[in-house]
Amino acid sequence: MSYKGAIPKGTRVAAELALGAGARGTALVAVTYANNSRGGGSRALPIPPGTTDHCEIPTSPNAKGMIRVLADLNDEADPATLTVYVDGTAVDTAQLSGDTTWVYAVS
Amino acid sequence: MGVRRLVALVLALVTTGSARANAQDAAAGCRAALVSREVAANRIIDPCHELAVLVVAERTERHWVLPRDVQSTSAGAAAPAGSPAQAGAVPTILPTSFAATTLAAVAHDSGTSTIAAISLNPVMFLSSSTNPEEIARLSRLLDVTLFVPVDGLDANEDGRIDYAGARLRINITAGGQSRDLLQRLDTAIRNEMDLASLTEQVFLNSDDPGACADVLMAPDADPAAVKAQCGGPVNLRIDDASYAALRDAARTAREAADAKYLGLDLRLDTGDPSFGTADHPPGTSMLAGIGFGRRIAAGTGGASSGIRGRLGARYVSLRDTTLTDWQVDGGLAIEMSRLIDQQRLEMSIGLEFRMSGNRTSAEVLRTRYAEIRGGITVPIAGTTAVTLSLSAPIYGDVSPTLSVSGNWLQLLGALERP
């Protein structure tokens, strides 16, 4: 199930992808957000093999919304770990087995 | 207060109270539906909004992720660049991801020889299966290649290895944002948020939000069943074409990052490149340069082409003499590749040169020459391939070469996987 749970409004959400050195090629991590005040935004970052990086996005303190995190791997067997942070605290982490998307409600 | 005003006030209070009770009932129903779907109670804040987001997430998940059907093999093979066993023209400086080996049989004016090369990503030596993040943070995108002739390390029996070399490749290219991808992400999440807002209103007005959510998440939801369970029609139509375009944009952004590079090319050679079988004095040379590459037609598969180039400064000091020389060393090549059944066939052709001001000792210093180089790499299975390389001088006194090499890429890669 791609839905992971609720995140409080007004927090900063970061999606971090750690791609193993044995990966066949560059991966992509993206975080995209929209709220019911027509606000939102997206960030995306290529992740070369053997590196870890993240992209993050702030959420509005005044509107409900939803956030989607996407990890797009070069190959399904590429070793990768996806972690989502809310205001610096890890809320979800998993070793991936292929492309993965997680969804959060912002409430 | 008049009777009419009193009645209006009572009606307003009753309506508000009734609405609040309905909202509370809906929230309780949404919360129960979330818990029944194994959402942790401590991760529920606004139940009907979150149940709506869950429904939209489940209905759209299969549009975001599909099984991978194309592999990219941009990582470099073990490349004894600048040696007689060099495979192709202007080898890439993209490091190998984990490990790679090459065994090359080389023919040139001085005779024949066999050169073995191994490339390792230093991350391997720091790897810890329990802390991959630390390893990834410590590593840069580089590899080290070592190569030696294997058919006679000391043919002239002077007590020294006749020829050996080392290469260091560092990729300093930084990834960038893809505007097309960001716009498509914005559009997709906006559409999903609109669907979630619509669905939340349905749940707030529904007698049984859980039953409504069940029918909305069914693969082929019957409109009559939706109307019956949700109290009215609900249209959660998904635009398949927009998601397909988004997946393509993500894949293009990822492939584009692999399609270009800029980095450092550092080389150290010791000995005599003719392996002691010709009258060339041995020496030590060091080269520091910049390498770049750009795939012109990067895509999700099929044919692609690009250019590769390098330029550097080389210092050579001959053993047993006082001869030293500073040289300019570089090259420019065109690469072409085609993906066939998930394996990449590659060809390259280009010009490589080395120049300095020393005309009288050009031959012993191996300078003041230009040559045409080309190569073709044929995949055998997975990341194993065979490369045929040729070089022919067009200026200066250097030997033509012919080499056949076998390349094994990421031989130890399976050890990295959790």
Tab-separated table of all heavy atoms in Angstrom, chain A residues 16-69:
chain	number	residue	atom	x	y	z
A	16	GLU	N	14.844	11.100	1.137
A	16	GLU	CA	16.261	10.794	0.924
A	16	GLU	C	16.395	9.418	0.276
A	16	GLU	O	15.768	8.448	0.705
A	16	GLU	CB	16.987	10.797	2.273
A	16	GLU	CG	18.454	10.419	2.184
A	16	GLU	CD	19.080	10.289	3.555
A	16	GLU	OE1	18.988	9.189	4.134
A	16	GLU	OE2	19.631	11.276	4.058
A	17	LEU	N	17.238	9.342	-0.754
A	17	LEU	CA	17.494	8.072	-1.417
A	17	LEU	C	18.983	7.769	-1.332
A	17	LEU	O	19.818	8.587	-1.724
A	17	LEU	CB	17.061	8.131	-2.883
A	17	LEU	CG	17.151	6.816	-3.662
A	17	LEU	CD1	16.175	5.790	-3.087
A	17	LEU	CD2	16.868	7.026	-5.138
A	18	ALA	N	19.305	6.611	-0.788
A	18	ALA	CA	20.680	6.126	-0.738
A	18	ALA	C	20.810	5.020	-1.775
A	18	ALA	O	20.175	3.972	-1.642
A	18	ALA	CB	21.004	5.586	0.658
A	19	LEU	N	21.604	5.270	-2.819
A	19	LEU	CA	21.727	4.316	-3.919
A	19	LEU	C	23.046	3.584	-3.820
A	19	LEU	O	24.109	4.215	-3.734
A	19	LEU	CB	21.633	5.052	-5.259
A	19	LEU	CG	21.589	4.186	-6.518
A	19	LEU	CD1	20.344	3.309	-6.523
A	19	LEU	CD2	21.624	5.058	-7.762
A	20	GLY	N	22.997	2.275	-3.804
A	20	GLY	CA	24.199	1.478	-3.649
A	20	GLY	C	25.169	1.629	-4.806
A	20	GLY	O	24.779	1.941	-5.934
A	21	ALA	N	26.443	1.379	-4.518
A	21	ALA	CA	27.468	1.503	-5.548
A	21	ALA	C	27.290	0.468	-6.648
A	21	ALA	O	27.810	0.622	-7.743
A	21	ALA	CB	28.850	1.365	-4.909
A	22	GLY	N	26.565	-0.603	-6.361
A	22	GLY	CA	26.351	-1.627	-7.370
A	22	GLY	C	25.199	-1.342	-8.315
A	22	GLY	O	24.891	-2.180	-9.166
A	23	ALA	N	24.590	-0.182	-8.195
A	23	ALA	CA	23.458	0.148	-9.076
A	23	ALA	C	23.948	0.309	-10.516
A	23	ALA	O	25.057	0.766	-10.768
A	23	ALA	CB	22.789	1.441	-8.609
A	24	ARG	N	23.086	-0.055	-11.450
A	24	ARG	CA	23.470	-0.020	-12.852
A	24	ARG	C	23.507	1.398	-13.413
A	24	ARG	O	24.148	1.648	-14.427
A	24	ARG	CB	22.490	-0.846	-13.691
A	24	ARG	CG	22.613	-2.331	-13.439
A	24	ARG	CD	21.723	-3.128	-14.395
A	24	ARG	NE	21.784	-4.544	-14.104
A	24	ARG	CZ	22.736	-5.354	-14.529
A	24	ARG	NH1	23.710	-4.887	-15.272
A	24	ARG	NH2	22.733	-6.628	-14.212
A	25	GLY	N	22.820	2.332	-12.773
A	25	GLY	CA	22.813	3.692	-13.294
A	25	GLY	C	22.131	4.629	-12.328
A	25	GLY	O	21.720	4.243	-11.230
A	26	THR	N	22.026	5.859	-12.742
A	26	THR	CA	21.477	6.911	-11.894
A	26	THR	C	20.004	6.657	-11.578
A	26	THR	O	19.236	6.218	-12.425
A	26	THR	CB	21.638	8.256	-12.602
A	26	THR	OG1	23.027	8.510	-12.768
A	26	THR	CG2	21.015	9.389	-11.810
A	27	ALA	N	19.640	6.940	-10.331
A	27	ALA	CA	18.237	6.881	-9.918
A	27	ALA	C	17.703	8.305	-9.777
A	27	ALA	O	18.439	9.284	-9.915
A	27	ALA	CB	18.111	6.127	-8.590
A	28	LEU	N	16.408	8.394	-9.486
A	28	LEU	CA	15.766	9.699	-9.328
A	28	LEU	C	14.903	9.656	-8.073
A	28	LEU	O	14.180	8.685	-7.851
A	28	LEU	CB	14.890	10.001	-10.545
A	28	LEU	CG	14.253	11.382	-10.592
A	28	LEU	CD1	15.247	12.378	-11.168
A	28	LEU	CD2	12.988	11.370	-11.438
A	29	VAL	N	15.019	10.685	-7.249
A	29	VAL	CA	14.106	10.824	-6.105
A	29	VAL	C	13.331	12.120	-6.291
A	29	VAL	O	13.885	13.137	-6.719
A	29	VAL	CB	14.871	10.804	-4.759
A	29	VAL	CG1	15.799	12.005	-4.627
A	29	VAL	CG2	13.892	10.749	-3.603
A	30	ALA	N	12.029	12.077	-6.036
A	30	ALA	CA	11.192	13.259	-6.218
A	30	ALA	C	10.187	13.346	-5.082
A	30	ALA	O	9.768	12.329	-4.520
A	30	ALA	CB	10.456	13.200	-7.560
A	31	VAL	N	9.848	14.566	-4.727
A	31	VAL	CA	8.774	14.804	-3.761
A	31	VAL	C	7.889	15.891	-4.341
A	31	VAL	O	8.370	16.914	-4.846
A	31	VAL	CB	9.339	15.174	-2.369
A	31	VAL	CG1	10.225	16.409	-2.439
A	31	VAL	CG2	8.227	15.386	-1.381
A	32	THR	N	6.570	15.654	-4.315
A	32	THR	CA	5.632	16.587	-4.913
A	32	THR	C	4.458	16.804	-3.970
A	32	THR	O	4.007	15.865	-3.311
A	32	THR	CB	5.193	16.096	-6.307
A	32	THR	OG1	4.330	17.040	-6.912
A	32	THR	CG2	4.511	14.736	-6.248
A	33	TYR	N	3.976	18.046	-3.889
A	33	TYR	CA	3.017	18.431	-2.850
A	33	TYR	C	1.977	19.372	-3.431
A	33	TYR	O	2.296	20.250	-4.254
A	33	TYR	CB	3.790	19.107	-1.711
A	33	TYR	CG	2.980	19.958	-0.757
A	33	TYR	CD1	1.976	19.407	0.035
A	33	TYR	CD2	3.255	21.322	-0.633
A	33	TYR	CE1	1.265	20.205	0.922
A	33	TYR	CE2	2.541	22.124	0.254
A	33	TYR	CZ	1.544	21.554	1.033
A	33	TYR	OH	0.840	22.340	1.915
A	34	ALA	N	0.734	19.182	-3.014
A	34	ALA	CA	-0.330	20.114	-3.362
A	34	ALA	C	-1.263	20.244	-2.171
A	34	ALA	O	-1.433	19.290	-1.400
A	34	ALA	CB	-1.104	19.623	-4.584
A	35	ASN	N	-1.864	21.436	-2.009
A	35	ASN	CA	-2.826	21.623	-0.927
A	35	ASN	C	-4.106	22.223	-1.477
A	35	ASN	O	-4.181	22.613	-2.648
A	35	ASN	CB	-2.234	22.470	0.212
A	35	ASN	CG	-1.839	23.874	-0.248
A	35	ASN	OD1	-2.544	24.505	-1.038
A	35	ASN	ND2	-0.727	24.362	0.257
A	36	ASN	N	-5.113	22.304	-0.615
A	36	ASN	CA	-6.420	22.746	-1.099
A	36	ASN	C	-6.544	24.265	-1.147
A	36	ASN	O	-7.643	24.778	-1.343
A	36	ASN	CB	-7.551	22.122	-0.267
A	36	ASN	CG	-7.453	22.490	1.205
A	36	ASN	OD1	-6.658	23.352	1.591
A	36	ASN	ND2	-8.249	21.835	2.040
A	37	SER	N	-5.401	24.964	-1.000
A	37	SER	CA	-5.366	26.403	-1.270
A	37	SER	C	-4.633	26.689	-2.579
A	37	SER	O	-4.155	27.808	-2.795
A	37	SER	CB	-4.646	27.150	-0.127
A	37	SER	OG	-5.399	27.062	1.055
A	38	ARG	N	-4.540	25.682	-3.442
A	38	ARG	CA	-3.883	25.762	-4.751
A	38	ARG	C	-2.382	26.004	-4.617
A	38	ARG	O	-1.727	26.417	-5.566
A	38	ARG	CB	-4.495	26.865	-5.638
A	38	ARG	CG	-6.009	26.862	-5.702
A	38	ARG	CD	-6.582	25.525	-6.110
A	38	ARG	NE	-6.313	25.197	-7.503
A	38	ARG	CZ	-6.687	24.053	-8.073
A	38	ARG	NH1	-7.312	23.122	-7.368
A	38	ARG	NH2	-6.417	23.830	-9.347
A	39	GLY	N	-1.826	25.754	-3.430
A	39	GLY	CA	-0.384	25.866	-3.262
A	39	GLY	C	0.281	24.513	-3.440
A	39	GLY	O	-0.380	23.489	-3.599
A	40	GLY	N	1.607	24.515	-3.394
A	40	GLY	CA	2.330	23.250	-3.524
A	40	GLY	C	3.649	23.444	-4.255
A	40	GLY	O	4.166	24.551	-4.353
A	41	GLY	N	4.211	22.349	-4.741
A	41	GLY	CA	5.465	22.412	-5.484
A	41	GLY	C	6.070	21.038	-5.597
A	41	GLY	O	5.594	20.080	-4.978
A	42	SER	N	7.128	20.945	-6.395
A	42	SER	CA	7.797	19.665	-6.622
A	42	SER	C	9.305	19.855	-6.625
A	42	SER	O	9.811	20.924	-6.976
A	42	SER	CB	7.370	19.064	-7.969
A	42	SER	OG	5.980	18.859	-8.018
A	43	ARG	N	9.998	18.810	-6.205
A	43	ARG	CA	11.459	18.772	-6.266
A	43	ARG	C	11.845	17.391	-6.793
A	43	ARG	O	11.210	16.393	-6.452
A	43	ARG	CB	12.098	18.946	-4.877
A	43	ARG	CG	11.676	20.186	-4.129
A	43	ARG	CD	12.358	21.442	-4.611
A	43	ARG	NE	12.045	22.568	-3.731
A	43	ARG	CZ	10.954	23.314	-3.821
A	43	ARG	NH1	10.046	23.062	-4.765
A	43	ARG	NH2	10.742	24.311	-2.981
A	44	ALA	N	12.914	17.347	-7.592
A	44	ALA	CA	13.399	16.062	-8.099
A	44	ALA	C	14.917	16.139	-8.224
A	44	ALA	O	15.461	17.192	-8.548
A	44	ALA	CB	12.770	15.735	-9.450
A	45	LEU	N	15.586	15.038	-7.976
A	45	LEU	CA	17.044	15.041	-7.968
A	45	LEU	C	17.574	13.710	-8.489
A	45	LEU	O	17.144	12.649	-8.008
A	45	LEU	CB	17.541	15.250	-6.530
A	45	LEU	CG	18.974	15.702	-6.338
A	45	LEU	CD1	19.212	17.056	-6.976
A	45	LEU	CD2	19.291	15.756	-4.850
A	46	PRO	N	18.504	13.730	-9.461
A	46	PRO	CA	19.149	12.464	-9.848
A	46	PRO	C	20.160	12.048	-8.773
A	46	PRO	O	20.849	12.893	-8.203
A	46	PRO	CB	19.866	12.815	-11.167
A	46	PRO	CG	19.771	14.274	-11.342
A	46	PRO	CD	18.964	14.866	-10.250
A	47	ILE	N	20.225	10.754	-8.532
A	47	ILE	CA	21.130	10.206	-7.517
A	47	ILE	C	22.090	9.248	-8.209
A	47	ILE	O	21.673	8.181	-8.674
A	47	ILE	CB	20.351	9.433	-6.420
A	47	ILE	CG1	19.209	10.288	-5.878
A	47	ILE	CG2	21.284	8.973	-5.308
A	47	ILE	CD1	19.635	11.467	-5.053
A	48	PRO	N	23.378	9.587	-8.338
A	48	PRO	CA	24.334	8.662	-8.978
A	48	PRO	C	24.597	7.443	-8.088
A	48	PRO	O	24.414	7.522	-6.860
A	48	PRO	CB	25.605	9.501	-9.130
A	48	PRO	CG	25.184	10.923	-8.927
A	48	PRO	CD	24.016	10.872	-8.007
A	49	PRO	N	25.034	6.351	-8.673
A	49	PRO	CA	25.349	5.154	-7.874
A	49	PRO	C	26.386	5.462	-6.807
A	49	PRO	O	27.341	6.191	-7.036
A	49	PRO	CB	25.891	4.162	-8.902
A	49	PRO	CG	25.286	4.593	-10.192
A	49	PRO	CD	25.194	6.090	-10.108
A	50	GLY	N	26.178	4.904	-5.630
A	50	GLY	CA	27.128	5.095	-4.546
A	50	GLY	C	26.972	6.396	-3.799
A	50	GLY	O	27.865	6.778	-3.033
A	51	THR	N	25.872	7.093	-4.001
A	51	THR	CA	25.680	8.360	-3.307
A	51	THR	C	24.326	8.401	-2.614
A	51	THR	O	23.433	7.606	-2.906
A	51	THR	CB	25.773	9.563	-4.266
A	51	THR	OG1	24.744	9.467	-5.253
A	51	THR	CG2	27.121	9.609	-4.949
A	52	THR	N	24.202	9.358	-1.697
A	52	THR	CA	22.958	9.596	-0.985
A	52	THR	C	22.637	11.077	-1.091
A	52	THR	O	23.515	11.918	-0.893
A	52	THR	CB	23.098	9.213	0.503
A	52	THR	OG1	23.365	7.811	0.591
A	52	THR	CG2	21.824	9.531	1.272
A	53	ASP	N	21.421	11.376	-1.404
A	53	ASP	CA	21.025	12.785	-1.442
A	53	ASP	C	19.523	12.859	-1.215
A	53	ASP	O	18.828	11.840	-1.194
A	53	ASP	CB	21.413	13.433	-2.769
A	53	ASP	CG	21.714	14.926	-2.606
A	53	ASP	OD1	21.187	15.530	-1.635
A	53	ASP	OD2	22.458	15.480	-3.440
A	54	HIS	N	19.026	14.069	-1.024
A	54	HIS	CA	17.620	14.206	-0.711
A	54	HIS	C	17.062	15.469	-1.335
A	54	HIS	O	17.793	16.384	-1.715
A	54	HIS	CB	17.417	14.256	0.812
A	54	HIS	CG	17.921	15.535	1.424
A	54	HIS	ND1	19.250	15.751	1.697
A	54	HIS	CD2	17.266	16.672	1.788
A	54	HIS	CE1	19.398	16.961	2.221
A	54	HIS	NE2	18.215	17.543	2.290
A	55	CYS	N	15.751	15.500	-1.433
A	55	CYS	CA	15.081	16.748	-1.773
A	55	CYS	C	13.960	16.953	-0.755
A	55	CYS	O	13.404	15.987	-0.234
A	55	CYS	CB	14.552	16.749	-3.198
A	55	CYS	SG	13.660	15.286	-3.717
A	56	GLU	N	13.686	18.206	-0.458
A	56	GLU	CA	12.692	18.469	0.567
A	56	GLU	C	11.771	19.596	0.152
A	56	GLU	O	12.077	20.381	-0.761
A	56	GLU	CB	13.358	18.786	1.908
A	56	GLU	CG	14.169	20.065	1.944
A	56	GLU	CD	14.718	20.316	3.343
A	56	GLU	OE1	15.414	19.437	3.881
A	56	GLU	OE2	14.430	21.386	3.897
A	57	ILE	N	10.620	19.658	0.835
A	57	ILE	CA	9.604	20.640	0.481
A	57	ILE	C	8.886	21.074	1.757
A	57	ILE	O	8.631	20.244	2.636
A	57	ILE	CB	8.646	20.034	-0.563
A	57	ILE	CG1	7.963	21.124	-1.364
A	57	ILE	CG2	7.635	19.091	0.046
A	57	ILE	CD1	7.422	20.628	-2.675
A	58	PRO	N	8.582	22.369	1.887
A	58	PRO	CA	7.822	22.809	3.056
A	58	PRO	C	6.325	22.682	2.788
A	58	PRO	O	5.874	22.793	1.645
A	58	PRO	CB	8.231	24.275	3.191
A	58	PRO	CG	8.518	24.702	1.785
A	58	PRO	CD	9.026	23.492	1.047
A	59	THR	N	5.549	22.448	3.840
A	59	THR	CA	4.100	22.397	3.693
A	59	THR	C	3.482	23.630	4.345
A	59	THR	O	4.036	24.192	5.298
A	59	THR	CB	3.515	21.136	4.339
A	59	THR	OG1	3.822	21.139	5.743
A	59	THR	CG2	4.106	19.890	3.710
A	60	SER	N	2.331	24.026	3.836
A	60	SER	CA	1.649	25.202	4.364
A	60	SER	C	1.054	24.890	5.732
A	60	SER	O	0.479	23.819	5.931
A	60	SER	CB	0.532	25.626	3.406
A	60	SER	OG	-0.330	26.555	4.028
A	61	PRO	N	1.156	25.836	6.671
A	61	PRO	CA	0.543	25.600	7.990
A	61	PRO	C	-0.962	25.815	7.989
A	61	PRO	O	-1.627	25.563	8.998
A	61	PRO	CB	1.243	26.635	8.876
A	61	PRO	CG	1.617	27.727	7.946
A	61	PRO	CD	1.909	27.081	6.617
A	62	ASN	N	-1.503	26.271	6.867
A	62	ASN	CA	-2.899	26.692	6.863
A	62	ASN	C	-3.807	25.885	5.944
A	62	ASN	O	-4.988	26.222	5.819
A	62	ASN	CB	-2.984	28.162	6.439
A	62	ASN	CG	-2.134	29.059	7.316
A	62	ASN	OD1	-2.180	28.944	8.547
A	62	ASN	ND2	-1.337	29.916	6.710
A	63	ALA	N	-3.286	24.855	5.303
A	63	ALA	CA	-4.117	24.138	4.343
A	63	ALA	C	-3.820	22.654	4.373
A	63	ALA	O	-2.666	22.238	4.536
A	63	ALA	CB	-3.877	24.689	2.935
A	64	LYS	N	-4.884	21.869	4.189
A	64	LYS	CA	-4.708	20.424	4.062
A	64	LYS	C	-4.141	20.116	2.686
A	64	LYS	O	-4.353	20.870	1.729
A	64	LYS	CB	-6.051	19.711	4.237
A	64	LYS	CG	-6.617	19.813	5.637
A	64	LYS	CD	-7.839	18.953	5.822
A	64	LYS	CE	-9.046	19.540	5.126
A	64	LYS	NZ	-10.298	18.844	5.571
A	65	GLY	N	-3.457	19.005	2.589
A	65	GLY	CA	-2.889	18.660	1.288
A	65	GLY	C	-2.476	17.213	1.234
A	65	GLY	O	-2.871	16.394	2.078
A	66	MET	N	-1.666	16.909	0.214
A	66	MET	CA	-1.103	15.568	0.092
A	66	MET	C	0.279	15.665	-0.520
A	66	MET	O	0.578	16.609	-1.269
A	66	MET	CB	-2.012	14.638	-0.728
A	66	MET	CG	-2.190	15.009	-2.171
A	66	MET	SD	-3.343	13.882	-3.038
A	66	MET	CE	-2.415	12.358	-3.101
A	67	ILE	N	1.112	14.718	-0.149
A	67	ILE	CA	2.491	14.658	-0.630
A	67	ILE	C	2.734	13.270	-1.213
A	67	ILE	O	2.294	12.266	-0.647
A	67	ILE	CB	3.497	14.912	0.508
A	67	ILE	CG1	3.557	16.408	0.831
A	67	ILE	CG2	4.898	14.422	0.143
A	67	ILE	CD1	4.546	16.744	1.914
A	68	ARG	N	3.417	13.242	-2.337
A	68	ARG	CA	3.831	11.972	-2.925
A	68	ARG	C	5.346	11.968	-3.067
A	68	ARG	O	5.935	12.946	-3.535
A	68	ARG	CB	3.189	11.737	-4.284
A	68	ARG	CG	3.489	10.375	-4.873
A	68	ARG	CD	2.803	10.188	-6.211
A	68	ARG	NE	1.380	9.931	-6.114
A	68	ARG	CZ	0.831	8.733	-5.901
A	68	ARG	NH1	1.605	7.685	-5.727
A	68	ARG	NH2	-0.482	8.585	-5.861
A	69	VAL	N	5.955	10.855	-2.653
A	69	VAL	CA	7.394	10.650	-2.791
A	69	VAL	C	7.593	9.556	-3.832
A	69	VAL	O	6.896	8.544	-3.824
A	69	VAL	CB	8.009	10.211	-1.438
A	69	VAL	CG1	9.457	9.780	-1.614
A	69	VAL	CG2	7.895	11.347	-0.424
